Amino acid sequence: MKLKVFLSTALLVALTAAATNYDEEKAGDYTLPDPLVCADSTRVTNAEAWLQKRRPDILELYRENIFGRSPGAETNVTFNVWETSTNALGGAAVRKQIEINFSGTANGPFAHLLLYTPAGKISAPTFLCLSFGGNYAVIDDPAIAIFPGWNWKTKELGMPKNPVRGEAARNWKIAGTLARGCGIAIMDYREVEPDLPGGTGFKYGVRKNFPLPTTNGWGAIGAWAWGASRGLDYLVTDKDVDAQRVILFGHSRLGKTVLWAGAQDTRFAAVIANCSGEMGASLSRRDYGETVDDVAKHFPYWMCGNFQQFSNRWNILPVDSHFLLSLIAPRPLFLNTGSEDRWGDPHGEFLAARAATPVYELLSKTGITETNFPPLDEPLRHDITFNCHAGKHDVLPSDWDKFLDFADAHFPQKN
Ligand code: GCU
């Protein structure tokens, strides 16, 4: 993510460090709710009951208590494919630049989707990625338009000061993705709603167009997730993309976002949540690294107002992260973590993956049945894939190799 945002969040981490537990022995005792037991205590024993009854109930619990309710797919969102090159990246790719107008009026807000698909190929499995910065940063391609971006520190919208094309390329593997027959689409989450301190970005993003109650209306994560679905609305219309094989990717707060987007929008064929941590894939009832209290205190605007009631009262949460993971089932899910990302609690993500596994199995899919945390960089490859890279809270080039293996395993190339 952008350095300034990183420094601010690092400062928050430091400020809360005294209260943060990093001792496995002190992670606490807890009982997880069972995703297969309904509110009326009946047990879900078949796929139909899961899909018709329990899954909608869990989704509703998340809407009411955690991320809030979002609007549907509003029809006034418009798309303008303003640039197409069939000879991009030295002939390896078709490049498109698409303006998304979230209101269909001159007021926007607007997001700018960058799409590369392999040259000469139609209907490619495609990654839709939320990113922390401008499109110019993901690859050194002089044709990529540079737009003003929101700055966390100055709280202003402005042209990047010294934009360096490809400055974030180490977090991506665009040429390698294309070489393996997949497309990749990227959008800057700040364009959906700027991520400003205290949630003041609310005034400039998509939420201002659809005001909802603060108690159970969408927080910023809900807004970013909704934006991802609007990106998908475009992708499903593009013949170069296989609408049935769009894999949603996000890191960190965007890892939380993609889990929520994938939970709500089942058109996403698979989800990759990288270092998603607290209120992403790691268990909230475990006292290790970041906690519910930290999120409620420092990032209240990510969530709906009702979320605040769980600060210091994790045991009354009607859900835990394995519920969120189970909402992705039966679709493939990749949880990637980092050995040095103690704040994100990799072990808590592993345990959540195990706890979501009965739902995958009920739907005739495979989850994590291994009892031991895997060796670093040796993924447990199932319909839930779990990996912990050696390193920090980051997206590494070696992670992309694993994401591409995951895409190959679940969406074998047709042509
Ligand atoms: C903070 C926050 C995390 C989040 C991360 C990020 O560290 O506490 O929950 O994942 O920022 O998005 O970078």
Side-chain angles (χ1 to χ4, degrees):
M1 64 184 299
K2 291 298 244 191
L3 184 63
K4 285 169 191 156
V5 178
F6 171 76
L7 289 176
S8 311
T9 52
L11 182 65
L12 283 177
V13 173
L15 289 173
T16 55
T20 303
N21 175 52
Y22 289 123
D23 181 349
E24 193 58 49
E25 300 286 305
K26 295 185 183 148
D29 293 328
Y30 52 84
T31 306
L32 290 179
D34 188 333
L36 293 176
V37 174
C38 300
D40 62 8
S41 300
T42 56
R43 174 163 277 277
V44 173
T45 54
N46 58 59
E48 201 196 340
W50 168 260
L51 294 170
Q52 302 304 322
K53 184 176 179 208
R54 183 60 175 151
R55 186 182 190 282
D57 285 351
I58 294 179
L59 203 48
E60 182 58 20
L61 291 173
Y62 267 94
R63 288 190 171 126
E64 189 58 27
N65 297 287
I66 311 291
F67 297 117
R69 213 168 292 283
S70 308
E74 304 301 322
T75 49
N76 49 5
V77 177
T78 57
F79 304 98
N80 176 20
V81 185
W82 62 269
E83 195 243 11
T84 302
S85 164
T86 51
N87 191 25
L89 306 181
V94 174
R95 180 188 57 241
K96 297 191 184 96
Q97 299 188 69
I98 303 116
E99 181 187 80
I100 304 177
N101 182 341
F102 290 114
S103 72
T105 73
N107 297 329
F110 300 90
H112 300 93
L113 187 68
L114 169 67
L115 170 64
Y116 291 107
T117 47
K121 182 162 180 167
I122 55 162
S123 209
T126 296
F127 293 85
L128 173 58
C129 308
L130 295 177
S131 77
F132 285 103
N135 292 338
Y136 69 87
V138 301
I139 190 168
D140 182 2
D141 178 348
I144 296 175
I146 302 182
F147 293 100
W150 284 92
N151 185 309
W152 166 278
K153 202 171 161 201
T154 62
K155 305 189 191 71
E156 280 168 5
L157 179 68
M159 285 303 279
K161 281 225 176 67
N162 299 302
V164 177
R165 293 187 178 279
E167 65 187 348
R170 62 172 289 285
N171 295 130
W172 305 94
K173 205 168 214 172
I174 293 178
T177 300
L178 294 161
R180 287 184 59 174
C182 293
I184 181 162
I186 298 178
M187 74 195 259
D188 176 353
Y189 86 126
R190 300 171 305 171
E191 296 185 321
V192 180
E193 176 174 315
D195 192 354
L196 303 180
T200 52
F202 176 89
K203 290 180 286 191
Y204 312 106
V206 296
R207 281 194 291 165
K208 77 169 189 306
N209 292 341
F210 308 100
L212 290 165
T214 49
T215 48
N216 63 2
W218 52 349
I221 286 180
W224 300 325
W226 186 86
S229 283
R230 304 294 70 81
L232 180 60
D233 290 345
Y234 168 75
L235 292 180
V236 300
T237 67
D238 190 311
K239 68 169 182 17
D240 295 338
V241 171
D242 185 342
Q244 309 300 319
R245 298 187 290 173
V246 175
I247 304 164
L248 182 61
F249 166 81
H251 165 60
S252 201
R253 68 195 63 189
L254 299 179
K256 310 179 209 299
T257 300
V258 298
L259 289 169
W260 181 227
Q264 294 176 98
D265 191 339
T266 55
R267 296 175 303 163
F268 288 113
V271 174
I272 303 174
N274 197 77
C275 297
S276 62
E278 184 63 41
M279 300 321 296
S282 67
L283 289 176
S284 292
R285 281 172 173 75
R286 237 174 84 83
D287 185 4
Y288 191 100
E290 187 174 27
T291 65
V292 166
D293 306 5
D294 293 315
V295 173
K297 185 169 171 198
H298 301 304
F299 303 103
Y301 65 97
W302 285 356
M303 323 298 281
C304 70
N306 285 341
F307 176 70
Q308 291 296 325
Q309 68 187 295
F310 305 111
S311 191
N312 274 313
R313 299 161 80 207
W314 315 340
N315 277 324
I316 66 159
L317 274 164
V319 295
D320 210 312
S321 63
H322 59 311
F323 279 32
L324 183 58
L325 307 185
S326 73
L327 293 174
I328 309 294
R331 293 163 292 158
L333 169 65
F334 191 139
L335 302 179
N336 194 41
T337 62
S339 58
E340 293 165 30
D341 183 20
R342 296 190 309 160
W343 182 242
D345 188 13
H347 201 77
E349 293 203 22
F350 173 74
L351 294 174
R354 280 176 47 84
T357 292
V359 176
Y360 272 77
E361 290 179 343
L362 182 77
L363 302 177
S364 307
K365 299 290 176 182
T366 55
I368 304 294
T369 50
E370 291 82 352
T371 45
N372 293 329
F373 193 88
L376 301 184
D377 288 302
E378 291 184 23
L380 301 173
R381 293 192 172 93
H382 307 288
D383 293 305
I384 303 177
T385 290
F386 179 87
N387 181 56
C388 185
H389 65 219
K392 55 189 168 89
H393 183 77
D394 200 359
V395 192
L396 307 175
S398 58
D399 294 330
W400 271 101
D401 294 333
K402 297 183 181 76
F403 303 157
L404 289 164
D405 290 344
F406 171 77
D408 272 354
H410 295 286
F411 306 117
Q413 298 286 329
K414 292 179 193 160
N415 49 16

mmCIF file of all heavy atoms in Angstrom, residues 1 5 9-10 13 132 251-254 256 275-278 290 295 299 302 343 393, ligand 1:
data_model
loop_
_atom_site.group_PDB
_atom_site.id
_atom_site.type_symbol
_atom_site.label_atom_id
_atom_site.label_comp_id
_atom_site.label_asym_id
_atom_site.label_seq_id
_atom_site.Cartn_x
_atom_site.Cartn_y
_atom_site.Cartn_z
ATOM 1 N N MET A 1 0.821 -1.187 0.000
ATOM 2 C CA MET A 1 0.000 0.000 0.000
ATOM 3 C C MET A 1 0.861 1.244 0.000
ATOM 4 O O MET A 1 2.058 1.185 0.195
ATOM 5 C CB MET A 1 -0.947 -0.015 1.201
ATOM 6 C CG MET A 1 -0.260 0.028 2.549
ATOM 7 S SD MET A 1 -1.442 -0.124 3.894
ATOM 8 C CE MET A 1 -2.448 1.295 3.606
ATOM 9 N N VAL A 5 0.049 5.960 3.875
ATOM 10 C CA VAL A 5 -1.001 5.216 4.581
ATOM 11 C C VAL A 5 -0.340 4.185 5.480
ATOM 12 O O VAL A 5 -0.716 3.981 6.630
ATOM 13 C CB VAL A 5 -1.959 4.532 3.582
ATOM 14 C CG1 VAL A 5 -3.010 3.732 4.342
ATOM 15 C CG2 VAL A 5 -2.618 5.561 2.687
ATOM 16 N N THR A 9 -0.769 3.801 9.503
ATOM 17 C CA THR A 9 -1.286 2.587 10.131
ATOM 18 C C THR A 9 -0.221 1.974 11.039
ATOM 19 O O THR A 9 -0.529 1.454 12.100
ATOM 20 C CB THR A 9 -1.774 1.569 9.095
ATOM 21 O OG1 THR A 9 -0.761 1.351 8.149
ATOM 22 C CG2 THR A 9 -3.028 2.030 8.399
ATOM 23 N N ALA A 10 1.065 2.126 10.639
ATOM 24 C CA ALA A 10 2.134 1.600 11.485
ATOM 25 C C ALA A 10 2.143 2.334 12.820
ATOM 26 O O ALA A 10 2.353 1.752 13.877
ATOM 27 C CB ALA A 10 3.485 1.748 10.775
ATOM 28 N N VAL A 13 -0.525 1.009 14.955
ATOM 29 C CA VAL A 13 -0.103 -0.280 15.503
ATOM 30 C C VAL A 13 0.775 -0.051 16.720
ATOM 31 O O VAL A 13 0.600 -0.641 17.783
ATOM 32 C CB VAL A 13 0.652 -1.104 14.439
ATOM 33 C CG1 VAL A 13 1.247 -2.353 15.048
ATOM 34 C CG2 VAL A 13 -0.267 -1.462 13.296
ATOM 35 N N PHE A 132 -4.026 -0.074 -4.116
ATOM 36 C CA PHE A 132 -3.900 1.061 -3.203
ATOM 37 C C PHE A 132 -3.442 2.341 -3.884
ATOM 38 O O PHE A 132 -3.224 3.343 -3.220
ATOM 39 C CB PHE A 132 -2.897 0.719 -2.088
ATOM 40 C CG PHE A 132 -3.444 -0.231 -1.058
ATOM 41 C CD1 PHE A 132 -3.091 -1.570 -1.064
ATOM 42 C CD2 PHE A 132 -4.327 0.221 -0.089
ATOM 43 C CE1 PHE A 132 -3.590 -2.444 -0.104
ATOM 44 C CE2 PHE A 132 -4.838 -0.640 0.867
ATOM 45 C CZ PHE A 132 -4.466 -1.982 0.867
ATOM 46 N N HIS A 251 -5.498 -7.081 -0.938
ATOM 47 C CA HIS A 251 -4.511 -7.220 0.142
ATOM 48 C C HIS A 251 -4.907 -6.351 1.338
ATOM 49 O O HIS A 251 -5.357 -5.218 1.162
ATOM 50 C CB HIS A 251 -3.138 -6.778 -0.400
ATOM 51 C CG HIS A 251 -2.099 -6.533 0.646
ATOM 52 N ND1 HIS A 251 -1.668 -7.515 1.521
ATOM 53 C CD2 HIS A 251 -1.390 -5.414 0.982
ATOM 54 C CE1 HIS A 251 -0.734 -7.004 2.323
ATOM 55 N NE2 HIS A 251 -0.557 -5.734 2.023
ATOM 56 N N SER A 252 -4.738 -6.913 2.541
ATOM 57 C CA SER A 252 -4.869 -6.145 3.772
ATOM 58 C C SER A 252 -6.304 -5.648 3.964
ATOM 59 O O SER A 252 -7.226 -6.457 3.948
ATOM 60 C CB SER A 252 -3.854 -4.999 3.749
ATOM 61 O OG SER A 252 -3.608 -4.541 5.034
ATOM 62 N N ARG A 253 -6.552 -4.341 4.102
ATOM 63 C CA ARG A 253 -7.957 -3.916 4.241
ATOM 64 C C ARG A 253 -8.728 -4.289 2.980
ATOM 65 O O ARG A 253 -9.930 -4.511 3.013
ATOM 66 C CB ARG A 253 -8.054 -2.418 4.554
ATOM 67 C CG ARG A 253 -7.637 -1.494 3.466
ATOM 68 C CD ARG A 253 -7.416 -0.085 3.982
ATOM 69 N NE ARG A 253 -6.322 -0.053 4.957
ATOM 70 C CZ ARG A 253 -6.004 0.997 5.711
ATOM 71 N NH1 ARG A 253 -6.680 2.111 5.602
ATOM 72 N NH2 ARG A 253 -4.996 0.939 6.568
ATOM 73 N N LEU A 254 -8.020 -4.401 1.880
ATOM 74 C CA LEU A 254 -8.692 -4.828 0.645
ATOM 75 C C LEU A 254 -8.856 -6.350 0.612
ATOM 76 O O LEU A 254 -9.658 -6.875 -0.163
ATOM 77 C CB LEU A 254 -7.933 -4.300 -0.575
ATOM 78 C CG LEU A 254 -7.851 -2.767 -0.633
ATOM 79 C CD1 LEU A 254 -7.073 -2.295 -1.860
ATOM 80 C CD2 LEU A 254 -9.252 -2.145 -0.612
ATOM 81 N N LYS A 256 -9.917 -7.852 3.383
ATOM 82 C CA LYS A 256 -11.218 -7.911 4.075
ATOM 83 C C LYS A 256 -12.318 -7.595 3.055
ATOM 84 O O LYS A 256 -13.379 -8.231 3.011
ATOM 85 C CB LYS A 256 -11.273 -6.886 5.215
ATOM 86 C CG LYS A 256 -10.082 -6.903 6.185
ATOM 87 C CD LYS A 256 -10.224 -5.836 7.265
ATOM 88 C CE LYS A 256 -8.916 -5.297 7.820
ATOM 89 N NZ LYS A 256 -8.015 -6.184 8.466
ATOM 90 N N CYS A 275 -3.283 -11.462 3.415
ATOM 91 C CA CYS A 275 -3.042 -10.807 4.709
ATOM 92 C C CYS A 275 -4.258 -9.992 5.145
ATOM 93 O O CYS A 275 -4.153 -8.814 5.505
ATOM 94 C CB CYS A 275 -1.811 -9.900 4.640
ATOM 95 S SG CYS A 275 -0.267 -10.756 4.301
ATOM 96 N N SER A 276 -5.437 -10.616 5.131
ATOM 97 C CA SER A 276 -6.668 -9.860 5.399
ATOM 98 C C SER A 276 -6.877 -9.604 6.894
ATOM 99 O O SER A 276 -7.556 -8.657 7.269
ATOM 100 C CB SER A 276 -7.875 -10.580 4.804
ATOM 101 O OG SER A 276 -8.048 -11.845 5.388
ATOM 102 N N GLY A 277 -6.310 -10.453 7.754
ATOM 103 C CA GLY A 277 -6.265 -10.175 9.190
ATOM 104 C C GLY A 277 -7.615 -9.977 9.869
ATOM 105 O O GLY A 277 -8.635 -10.557 9.474
ATOM 106 N N GLU A 278 -7.600 -9.128 10.894
ATOM 107 C CA GLU A 278 -8.794 -8.913 11.723
ATOM 108 C C GLU A 278 -9.953 -8.359 10.905
ATOM 109 O O GLU A 278 -9.775 -7.439 10.110
ATOM 110 C CB GLU A 278 -8.446 -7.937 12.861
ATOM 111 C CG GLU A 278 -9.578 -7.720 13.847
ATOM 112 C CD GLU A 278 -9.974 -9.003 14.584
ATOM 113 O OE1 GLU A 278 -9.080 -9.761 14.974
ATOM 114 O OE2 GLU A 278 -11.189 -9.241 14.754
ATOM 115 N N GLU A 290 -4.072 -7.857 16.018
ATOM 116 C CA GLU A 290 -5.169 -6.886 16.002
ATOM 117 C C GLU A 290 -6.466 -7.539 16.478
ATOM 118 O O GLU A 290 -6.724 -8.709 16.186
ATOM 119 C CB GLU A 290 -5.345 -6.342 14.577
ATOM 120 C CG GLU A 290 -6.345 -5.200 14.506
ATOM 121 C CD GLU A 290 -6.418 -4.569 13.118
ATOM 122 O OE1 GLU A 290 -6.124 -5.253 12.122
ATOM 123 O OE2 GLU A 290 -6.780 -3.373 13.058
ATOM 124 N N VAL A 295 -10.018 -2.456 15.680
ATOM 125 C CA VAL A 295 -10.730 -2.031 14.464
ATOM 126 C C VAL A 295 -11.839 -1.045 14.834
ATOM 127 O O VAL A 295 -11.994 0.010 14.204
ATOM 128 C CB VAL A 295 -11.305 -3.247 13.693
ATOM 129 C CG1 VAL A 295 -12.179 -2.790 12.533
ATOM 130 C CG2 VAL A 295 -10.182 -4.147 13.196
ATOM 131 N N PHE A 299 -10.690 2.234 13.128
ATOM 132 C CA PHE A 299 -11.288 2.238 11.786
ATOM 133 C C PHE A 299 -12.802 2.048 11.853
ATOM 134 O O PHE A 299 -13.363 1.206 11.147
ATOM 135 C CB PHE A 299 -10.663 1.126 10.920
ATOM 136 C CG PHE A 299 -9.171 1.226 10.788
ATOM 137 C CD1 PHE A 299 -8.328 0.396 11.515
ATOM 138 C CD2 PHE A 299 -8.609 2.164 9.931
ATOM 139 C CE1 PHE A 299 -6.946 0.490 11.396
ATOM 140 C CE2 PHE A 299 -7.232 2.277 9.807
ATOM 141 C CZ PHE A 299 -6.399 1.439 10.545
ATOM 142 N N TRP A 302 -14.906 1.816 8.647
ATOM 143 C CA TRP A 302 -14.884 0.649 7.751
ATOM 144 C C TRP A 302 -16.174 -0.159 7.878
ATOM 145 O O TRP A 302 -16.563 -0.869 6.968
ATOM 146 C CB TRP A 302 -13.747 -0.299 8.127
ATOM 147 C CG TRP A 302 -12.382 0.134 7.744
ATOM 148 C CD1 TRP A 302 -12.027 1.241 7.037
ATOM 149 C CD2 TRP A 302 -11.165 -0.561 8.061
ATOM 150 N NE1 TRP A 302 -10.662 1.276 6.897
ATOM 151 C CE2 TRP A 302 -10.112 0.187 7.516
ATOM 152 C CE3 TRP A 302 -10.875 -1.737 8.764
ATOM 153 C CZ2 TRP A 302 -8.779 -0.205 7.629
ATOM 154 C CZ3 TRP A 302 -9.554 -2.132 8.873
ATOM 155 C CH2 TRP A 302 -8.516 -1.365 8.312
ATOM 156 N N TRP A 343 0.491 -8.931 13.448
ATOM 157 C CA TRP A 343 -0.704 -8.086 13.627
ATOM 158 C C TRP A 343 -1.907 -8.723 12.928
ATOM 159 O O TRP A 343 -3.030 -8.665 13.413
ATOM 160 C CB TRP A 343 -0.373 -6.711 13.050
ATOM 161 C CG TRP A 343 -1.397 -5.622 13.130
ATOM 162 C CD1 TRP A 343 -1.984 -4.987 12.066
ATOM 163 C CD2 TRP A 343 -1.924 -4.986 14.298
ATOM 164 N NE1 TRP A 343 -2.841 -4.002 12.500
ATOM 165 C CE2 TRP A 343 -2.832 -3.978 13.875
ATOM 166 C CE3 TRP A 343 -1.734 -5.165 15.671
ATOM 167 C CZ2 TRP A 343 -3.535 -3.161 14.761
ATOM 168 C CZ3 TRP A 343 -2.431 -4.344 16.561
ATOM 169 C CH2 TRP A 343 -3.320 -3.363 16.097
ATOM 170 N N HIS A 393 3.806 -8.333 5.994
ATOM 171 C CA HIS A 393 2.467 -7.973 5.529
ATOM 172 C C HIS A 393 2.602 -7.367 4.133
ATOM 173 O O HIS A 393 2.850 -6.162 3.990
ATOM 174 C CB HIS A 393 1.921 -6.945 6.537
ATOM 175 C CG HIS A 393 0.530 -6.499 6.286
ATOM 176 N ND1 HIS A 393 -0.565 -7.259 6.605
ATOM 177 C CD2 HIS A 393 0.043 -5.349 5.747
ATOM 178 C CE1 HIS A 393 -1.666 -6.598 6.290
ATOM 179 N NE2 HIS A 393 -1.325 -5.434 5.757
HETATM 180 C C1 GCU B 1 -3.938 -1.528 9.559
HETATM 181 C C2 GCU B 1 -5.144 -2.246 10.089
HETATM 182 C C3 GCU B 1 -5.324 -3.607 9.419
HETATM 183 C C4 GCU B 1 -5.312 -3.452 7.932
HETATM 184 C C5 GCU B 1 -4.093 -2.696 7.489
HETATM 185 C C6 GCU B 1 -4.033 -2.331 6.014
HETATM 186 O O1 GCU B 1 -2.771 -2.187 9.939
HETATM 187 O O2 GCU B 1 -4.994 -2.358 11.474
HETATM 188 O O3 GCU B 1 -6.537 -4.203 9.836
HETATM 189 O O4 GCU B 1 -5.396 -4.710 7.310
HETATM 190 O O5 GCU B 1 -4.032 -1.444 8.171
HETATM 191 O O6 GCU B 1 -5.038 -2.286 5.346
HETATM 192 O O7 GCU B 1 -2.942 -2.011 5.583
#
